[in-house]
Amino acid sequence: MNLRDTLRMLGSADRRDGRNLSNAEARDIFGQILDRRSGDIQVAGFLMALRWKGVTVEELIGFVQAARERAELPCEGLSGMVTLCTPHDGYDQTPPLEVAAALVAAAAGARVMLVSEMGVPPRRGVTAALTLESLGVSLATSKAEAEDRIERQRFVAIAVTTMLPGLGRLHHVRGELGVRTALSTIEKLIAPGSSAIVTSAQSGPVLGTAVETMAGLGHPSGIVIQGLEGGLIPTLKRRTRGVELAGSHQVPLTVEPNDFGLLCRNNPELPMFGPPEEGLGTGDNPLLMRAALDSIRGVLAGETGPARSATLLCAAVVLKAVGRAMTLAEGVDAAVEALDSGAARKVLQDSGGTA
């Protein structure tokens, strides 16, 4: 089946052959897209048809399998590793504290790979990749370099388009559409199948779909969380919902800040400095970026406040997902030790960054 035939089927609700794609069909169609066997208009139509129809777990698994087959995935088979799959369009209200949490988790003994982008269109704001670059930490430029950094420092950041260059072509399509599509989920699941995964889901009834997709891809463990702005950072004002995958079991997970003395009236926030220049995302606002850097540097320097509390909770989720902590409470304790001992700051410095 080619993309044109697929579009006819997906776009005609009254057709007798209108249906969801099978896993094999989804895998083949997305492979055709990545192999540039279809035009941008067809790809855009396909993504919008999926948005109107709704994407099934079987379809998502097939799309991600096609992407992984064409990707150069680092660290396949490496034990004790967790992949943090961050929002690639960034944040415009919340500092990207998953950067600090990743450094903390690495300092606590996990092998951490953070997957990000400088900002895919339509870019929303500050991304983890932009923040790391501003801290002086370069993203790995190859599979071999990523594996070397994990071995030496237990931490590496890499762009998804470094692993799968074919996704870069789809950024233009995303920018033209200007709405969230299945690509936002697919790109966050391009990770080695042997690693644990920590990723995020938007608000609403999508947690089950996300964790079932993760399970269908064969991951040994992982956590999907509905954090601030649909990201990885738990809220401090109330509980945050999530689901944990542990082998064949899927278990509801609640991150309750009050359980760890971290309940706070305010979440960590990026200040509002007014709209960015025309044509630029909020991530291009130098004052906003400086505020994000100040938050992360403050956490690593031992400052107290909402940013530290949110980092501790996020790091605890990471440590639980990868099995370095049996409970979130143990994860918080390990994160406190990694921060207060200066070990997390050293991971940043060993990675070429400045605290």
Side-chain angles (χ1 to χ4, degrees):
M1 184 186 299
N2 59 35
L3 191 54
R4 180 178 296 176
D5 292 337
T6 304
L7 275 170
R8 289 195 185 107
M9 182 188 73
L10 295 177
S12 301
D14 57 344
R15 283 183 55 147
R16 292 180 180 178
D17 60 350
R19 56 176 174 78
N20 296 322
L21 299 175
S22 69
N23 172 269
E25 289 169 335
R27 195 169 183 167
D28 178 60
I29 288 298
F30 200 67
Q32 292 181 38
I33 291 171
L34 291 173
D35 293 341
R36 303 182 67 89
R37 290 161 57 189
S38 52
D40 288 353
I41 293 176
Q42 285 184 325
V43 173
F46 175 68
L47 293 172
M48 291 308 297
L50 288 175
R51 179 180 168 91
W52 293 326
K53 177 186 76 67
V55 185
T56 68
V57 170
E58 284 301 302
E59 288 169 341
L60 279 174
I61 292 172
F63 297 152
V64 176
Q65 287 171 334
R68 290 184 178 186
E69 287 167 359
R70 290 159 176 79
E72 289 286 325
L73 299 173
C75 307
E76 190 68 70
L78 185 65
S79 63
M81 187 175 129
V82 58
T83 303
L84 272 61
C85 303
T86 67
H88 294 182
D89 53 357
Y91 302 92
D92 59 11
Q93 300 174 36
T94 308
L97 293 169
E98 64 263 38
V99 170
L103 297 169
V104 170
R111 294 185 172 106
V112 182
M113 182 167 76
L114 188 152
V115 180
S116 183
E117 283 287 342
M118 291 301 177
V120 298
R123 199 165 98 199
R124 181 170 60 180
V126 180
T127 69
L130 280 167
T131 305
L132 283 164
E133 181 185 60
S134 297
L135 286 168
V137 179
S138 61
L139 273 62
T141 58
S142 68
K143 173 182 175 180
E145 182 182 352
E147 291 173 341
D148 179 64
R149 290 196 195 181
I150 281 283
E151 181 65 27
R152 290 187 293 109
Q153 300 147 200
R154 295 199 306 274
F155 171 75
V156 68
I158 190 168
V160 69
T161 48
T162 296
M163 298 185 289
L164 182 60
L167 271 183
R169 169 223 175 181
L170 301 180
H171 287 177
H172 169 70
V173 177
R174 288 183 58 151
E176 290 297 311
L177 288 176
V179 296
R180 185 174 294 274
T181 68
L183 282 178
S184 298
T185 302
I186 296 165
E187 67 191 6
K188 287 196 294 186
L189 291 171
I190 298 175
S194 59
S195 77
I197 280 190
V198 176
T199 190
S200 59
Q202 295 292 316
S203 58
V206 293
L207 277 172
T209 298
V211 77
E212 286 173 21
T213 302
M214 190 188 299
L217 290 166
H219 289 279
S221 61
I223 291 175
V224 182
I225 191 168
Q226 291 180 315
L228 295 170
E229 296 191 68
L232 302 181
I233 305 156
T235 178
L236 302 177
K237 300 166 70 173
R238 56 185 179 277
R239 66 185 60 184
T240 300
R241 295 180 62 226
V243 179
E244 181 177 10
L245 173 67
S248 60
H249 302 288
Q250 299 174 24
V251 184
L253 179 75
T254 299
V255 184
E256 176 57 78
N258 198 38
D259 290 345
F260 318 107
L262 299 175
L263 186 68
C264 186
R265 184 175 298 177
N266 299 308
N267 284 312
E269 295 180 345
L270 290 173
M272 299 301 293
F273 290 109
E277 297 178 29
E278 184 177 355
L280 299 179
T282 53
D284 297 293
N285 186 320
L287 295 177
L288 207 63
M289 176 57 72
R290 187 181 307 159
L293 294 176
D294 287 346
S295 292
I296 292 169
R297 286 182 170 135
V299 169
L300 296 177
E303 294 179 7
T304 59
R308 172 185 168 94
S309 297
T311 297
L312 292 175
L313 287 178
C314 187
V317 169
V318 175
L319 292 169
K320 191 175 192 309
V322 74
R324 298 294 302 188
M326 294 299 295
T327 65
L328 288 176
E330 289 182 11
V332 169
D333 288 344
V336 169
E337 171 63 23
L339 265 181
D340 292 349
S341 67
R345 192 172 183 175
K346 186 176 187 304
V347 172
L348 174 64
Q349 293 168 339
D350 289 346
S351 300
T354 56

